Amino acid sequence: MLKTGIPKLDDFMGGEVPPGRSLVYYVQPGVEGDVFGMQTLYHHLMQGGKGIYVTISSAPYTVREHFNEFGWDVGKFEDRFIIVDAYSALVGADSDERYVVSDPENIGALDETLSKAMEELGSGLVVFEPLSTLMDLCGEEETLEYVKKWKKLHMTYNNVFVCNFTAWPYAEETLKQIKEELFDAVVTIGGIAERVIFGQYFGVSKVDWAEVKKRSMLFKVFRPTGIRVYIPKILVTGAYHSGKSTFIHAISSRAVSVDRLGTTVAMDHGRIDHKGFAADIFGTPGQERFDPILKVLGGEAMGVFLVLDSSKPMDFVRAKQMLETARAHGLPYVIVANKQDLPDALSVDELRERMKVPKSVPIVPTVATEKKGVFEAFETLIDMITEVK
Amino acid sequence: MEYHLGIPKLDKVQGGLNIMLIGPPMCGKEIFVNNIVHAGLMNGEGIILVSTREHGEGVLKWFEQSELDIEKDRERFGIVDCVSRTLGMDVSDTQNIKRASSPVDLTGIGVKISQFFEQFYMRARIQKTRLIINSLSTMLMYSNLQTIFRFLHVFTGRIKVADAIGIYVIESGMHDEQTIATLKQLVDGMIEIKEENDRFFIRARGLGSKLTEWLEYEIEGANIVIKGD
Ligand SMILES: Nc1nc2c(ncn2[C@@H]2O[C@H](COP(=O)(O)OP(=O)(O)OP(=O)(O)O)[C@@H](O)[C@H]2O)c(=O)[nH]1
Ligand SMILES: [Mg+2]
């Protein structure tokens, strides 16, 4: 069983990729999709698996360096990791690899070298990077024929076969084959464009072994660490002095606040990086005179934290009012029951009772000053934001 | 939107245009390219140069040696260096040089072009961008015509959407007519250079400029001088 190691993607595909199956990362040109195959391979190696990486447009040392950019040292797996070099001969360069394709423009030669490498390795993961370059070199139809052949071969070896494919404007029939027919699973990776591509997303468009969960996730690629599901905007709201700024700082790897005399006058901003998720989190000022800012910030948010000082029941009315001001209804939100360390703090059940919060809204107890409970609150909200309905 | 190319007599072109710059070897095409880069930088634009013949540092050095000061404009100058990695040079990316794996790595080149577009337009809020590919001829040594056609098809489309301009350099005399004719389908206009008896001439087609007749020019240092002006 193989996991891609890409946050949320495994969930969308029924938990894992079964042996003998094939997966294509179908990438819109210009979008950073090559990392998907690399991350899948590295994750598999880290889990103790074996892997082959077929490089078609980069020298093997460039491939290793590219892995290193993400902090992924594939050198430590040399006993169960093979690079099949289908590049060097193309530019007339020497190669130190054990598996070198003598004539990369001849797909039969690649097939031969790959078969030998698979024989040595036994069952594992085979990643092609990128299949489109192979198509450019050897022709569309020929490549498709060989993909069919390799699929069968991988089934007998119980390999998982993963291809990165850049969707240049090939013949429509070719694209259709790749996108709908040849592979057992298709993950589409695209860009959100308006004059330029400014956001990237992935989503599953086909899975043969499980029910397809059609849901797209924004992502960003970080160096080091790789692909993170990206939540562009989470809002933190709550009454004066409830601990919003403290909460944001506790949960963020970087954060800035604009405070004067101990109260926030503009806003807080933090960047969270936790368990495969990256999020930008924005705090609102607690004082009523800043409510107009709140309205502006409330637009386009993907989720909301409402921070309460659990020891101050008289603030709860104000807190509920702020939630409404932020027009957050309809958005997923989590109530953060902060300052649980104070002696007169109300428990989660008492709070739920007092504020008449329905059971469907989670209340997470925290002590922001000690970073207690803050990541539980984050994970709860992330689950709600990324949940497949 | 209007763009100034920095070539005398051929000054203004409209945004959204894709232009092929075609000429024989040794006619000073590099100087044209560098002048186009320089004019863009001086206008406050973002520049994306895909360099297949000179590595990134080499491109920057030319400006230094020509005493064209681009130091303060550097952050708007993005170079996609297709040379260093191919030669096995042990260099990493810098603020304005991103290295592609090789000239075959069209996927990687495409990603880097898009990243510079995003960086200039979304993050630096620069409205105008010019993309220069120097040169298609080198790319055609590694990939076949169809492949380059598909690649260019995608990026000429992006140029239109972004209201940017694209300039694609190609050697005349190095490719068959069909290759040139095929790629021509993707561009709106041409800047043509020819050589006759050791004299160089330039003209433009389809750019809406006055320079439609052959005019003689000379290269003086880093400058292009139209004769009889
Ligand atoms: N005991 C305790 N004190 C806390 C906790 N969280 C925050 N505080 C304290 O509460 C005070 C207010 O915290 P802030 O984070 O500034 O609150 P805020 O909601 O950003 O305040 P405004 O921006 O002024 O609305 C500070 O003195 C914090 O140290 C907690 O969990 N327990
Ligand atoms: Mg605050």
Side-chain angles (χ1 to χ4, degrees):
Chain A
M1 290 290 176
L2 177 137
K3 287 189 188 289
T4 63
I6 290 153
K8 282 323 274 191
L9 183 57
D10 293 306
D11 293 349
F12 291 172
M13 296 194 298
E16 57 212 345
V17 186
R21 301 303 176 117
S22 58
L23 164 76
V24 64
Y25 291 120
Y26 186 93
V27 188
Q28 182 186 342
V31 177
E32 207 170 1
D34 53 346
V35 194
F36 280 74
M38 294 170 63
Q39 185 155 335
T40 305
L41 179 59
Y42 184 73
H43 187 79
H44 183 61
L45 293 171
M46 283 296 283
Q47 304 297 307
K50 301 175 194 171
I52 294 176
Y53 189 91
V54 182
T55 176
I56 304 161
S57 61
S58 311
Y61 86 94
T62 307
V63 169
R64 291 194 168 84
E65 218 170 80
H66 200 177
F67 274 99
N68 279 333
E69 276 176 38
F70 300 102
W72 303 333
D73 176 14
V74 288
K76 59 184 190 243
F77 305 115
E78 285 303 338
D79 56 324
R80 51 193 165 90
F81 170 58
I82 294 173
I83 290 186
V84 171
D85 179 1
Y87 168 80
S88 296
L90 200 65
V91 294
D94 294 332
S95 176
D96 296 332
E97 300 305 315
R98 289 186 300 129
Y99 292 94
V100 182
V101 180
S102 53
D103 178 10
E105 289 179 87
N106 171 0
I107 201 162
L110 168 59
D111 181 47
E112 221 170 89
T113 313
L114 179 63
S115 302
K116 280 186 200 145
M118 273 163 43
E119 227 161 84
E120 180 192 318
L121 202 70
S123 99
L125 167 67
V126 177
V127 175
F128 262 69
E129 167 63 54
L131 186 68
S132 36
T133 304
L134 189 66
M135 215 169 241
D136 295 339
L137 293 171
C138 306
E140 298 175 37
E141 273 170 41
E142 228 171 340
T143 304
L144 294 178
E145 279 314 304
Y146 270 89
V147 168
K148 282 179 203 156
K149 181 173 172 208
W150 288 326
K151 262 188 63 176
K152 284 198 195 112
L153 195 65
H154 291 307
M155 270 159 76
T156 51
Y157 274 93
N158 260 343
N159 279 339
V160 171
F161 178 40
V162 171
C163 288
N164 270 328
F165 178 80
T166 306
W168 299 108
Y170 294 102
E172 235 165 78
E173 181 53 32
T174 304
L175 293 177
K176 188 164 171 254
Q177 288 263 331
I178 301 272
K179 210 177 170 166
E180 292 168 21
E181 285 152 34
L182 279 181
F183 292 87
D184 301 317
V186 180
V187 176
T188 309
I189 297 160
I192 302 168
E194 193 199 300
R195 284 193 61 181
V196 303
I197 293 176
F198 65 91
Q200 316 188 102
Y201 65 87
F202 67 83
V204 178
S205 49
K206 173 184 172 181
V207 208
D208 274 357
W209 61 85
E211 200 190 319
V212 187
K213 294 188 176 158
K214 289 221 166 148
R215 182 81 205 260
S216 295
M217 289 285 126
L218 293 176
F219 73 91
K220 278 196 173 197
V221 177
F222 293 92
R223 290 176 167 75
T225 67
I227 297 157
R228 294 277 185 267
V229 164
Y230 177 56
I231 313 289
K233 195 166 180 183
I234 292 177
L235 206 62
V236 181
T237 183
Y240 175 67
H241 254 51
S242 54
K244 300 178 293 295
S245 300
T246 311
F247 177 78
I248 289 169
H249 284 261
I251 205 171
S252 303
S253 43
R254 284 183 278 126
V256 286
S257 302
V258 184
D259 275 16
R260 195 176 314 129
L261 303 174
T263 183
T264 303
V265 292
M267 63 161 185
D268 312 292
H269 171 223
R271 164 59 66 82
I272 306 172
D273 183 6
H274 180 69
K275 289 198 178 161
F277 293 92
D280 281 308
I281 183 166
F282 297 87
T284 60
Q287 294 183 40
E288 228 155 312
R289 64 189 168 100
F290 295 116
D291 280 4
I293 299 186
L294 220 130
K295 272 192 188 129
V296 177
L297 279 174
E300 301 155 17
M302 296 181 82
V304 179
F305 286 116
L306 175 65
V307 181
L308 299 179
D309 179 339
S310 310
S311 68
K312 276 201 184 151
M314 65 274 202
D315 279 356
F316 296 171
V317 178
R318 166 82 182 127
K320 277 203 115 167
Q321 174 197 342
M322 289 190 80
L323 244 181
E324 275 159 40
T325 318
R327 280 203 244 113
H329 286 300
L331 285 177
Y333 66 99
V334 167
I335 296 180
V336 176
N338 194 33
K339 306 201 187 182
Q340 283 291 319
D341 57 322
L342 294 182
D344 43 356
L346 299 183
S347 73
V348 168
D349 290 339
E350 286 165 332
L351 282 170
R352 194 180 287 285
E353 180 71 36
R354 282 273 189 112
M355 285 184 75
K356 300 192 174 51
V357 179
K359 277 259 180 302
S360 58
V361 177
I363 304 181
V364 181
T366 65
V367 183
T369 39
E370 296 165 25
K371 298 196 182 192
K372 272 191 195 153
V374 296
F375 288 106
E376 284 79 353
F378 179 66
E379 286 165 26
T380 306
L381 186 62
I382 285 295
D383 277 349
M384 294 167 77
I385 293 173
T386 61
E387 185 189 28
V388 183
K389 290 183 192 97
Chain B
M1 246 181 290
E2 249 171 22
Y3 288 83
H4 298 264
L5 287 183
I7 300 173
K9 293 261 178 179
L10 204 165
D11 218 27
K12 273 181 262 173
V13 296
Q14 284 302 315
L17 280 189
N18 288 290
I19 304 162
M20 183 185 282
L21 171 60
I22 182 165
M26 310 297 287
C27 67
K29 279 197 299 301
E30 300 303 314
I31 311 274
F32 277 92
V33 166
N34 290 337
N35 271 276
I36 292 168
V37 168
H38 189 250
L41 288 174
M42 294 304 116
N43 283 331
E45 296 168 20
I47 311 293
I48 305 167
L49 174 67
V50 178
S51 179
T52 61
R53 285 197 273 221
E54 179 77 87
H55 61 95
E57 282 75 5
V59 171
L60 294 176
K61 203 163 171 194
W62 184 90
F63 287 94
E64 230 170 81
Q65 286 171 344
S66 312
E67 292 178 4
L68 292 172
D69 185 12
I70 57 164
E71 199 54 47
K72 65 180 194 317
D73 306 296
R74 262 212 199 180
E75 60 190 34
R76 288 185 280 108
F77 188 12
I79 301 173
V80 181
D81 171 354
C82 307
V83 179
S84 302
R85 288 266 158 83
T86 315
L87 297 180
M89 289 159 77
D90 185 19
V91 280
S92 42
D93 286 5
T94 68
Q95 185 69 34
N96 59 331
I97 304 175
K98 292 182 194 284
R99 328 255 176 199
S101 295
S102 70
V104 209
D105 177 27
L106 299 179
T107 296
I109 294 171
V111 168
K112 289 163 208 320
I113 292 174
S114 300
Q115 286 173 338
F116 277 128
F117 262 114
E118 193 259 359
Q119 183 176 322
F120 295 152
Y121 183 68
M122 296 306 292
R123 276 182 273 166
R125 301 278 160 198
I126 297 166
Q127 291 296 314
K128 293 186 181 179
T129 303
R130 56 181 76 182
L131 166 70
I132 301 147
I133 297 186
N134 186 22
S135 71
L136 292 180
S137 295
T138 324
M139 292 171 98
L140 282 161
M141 284 163 59
Y142 294 92
S143 302
N144 58 41
L145 175 59
Q146 269 191 331
T147 301
I148 297 302
F149 183 87
R150 285 190 288 259
F151 172 84
L152 215 54
H153 189 276
V154 168
F155 285 96
T156 49
R158 300 262 167 96
I159 290 290
K160 285 202 189 329
V161 173
D163 209 12
I165 55 170
I167 291 152
Y168 314 98
V169 181
I170 193 161
E171 299 273 336
S172 51
M174 197 174 137
H175 313 282
D176 55 34
E177 262 174 48
Q178 208 219 315
T179 301
I180 305 288
T182 304
L183 296 176
K184 255 189 193 173
Q185 297 169 34
L186 293 171
V187 299
D188 307 289
M190 311 272 292
I191 298 172
E192 295 170 284
I193 295 169
K194 70 171 180 183
E195 187 192 351
E196 266 173 22
N197 312 319
D198 290 335
R199 290 160 66 199
F200 291 108
F201 300 85
I202 183 170
R203 75 171 173 187
R205 286 290 172 90
L207 300 180
S209 76
K210 292 178 211 100
L211 184 54
T212 50
E213 300 297 315
W214 288 108
L215 286 180
E216 188 176 358
Y217 71 89
E218 269 178 1
I219 304 282
E220 285 176 13
N223 297 314
I224 300 155
V225 181
I226 302 281
K227 292 253 258 193
D229 232 22

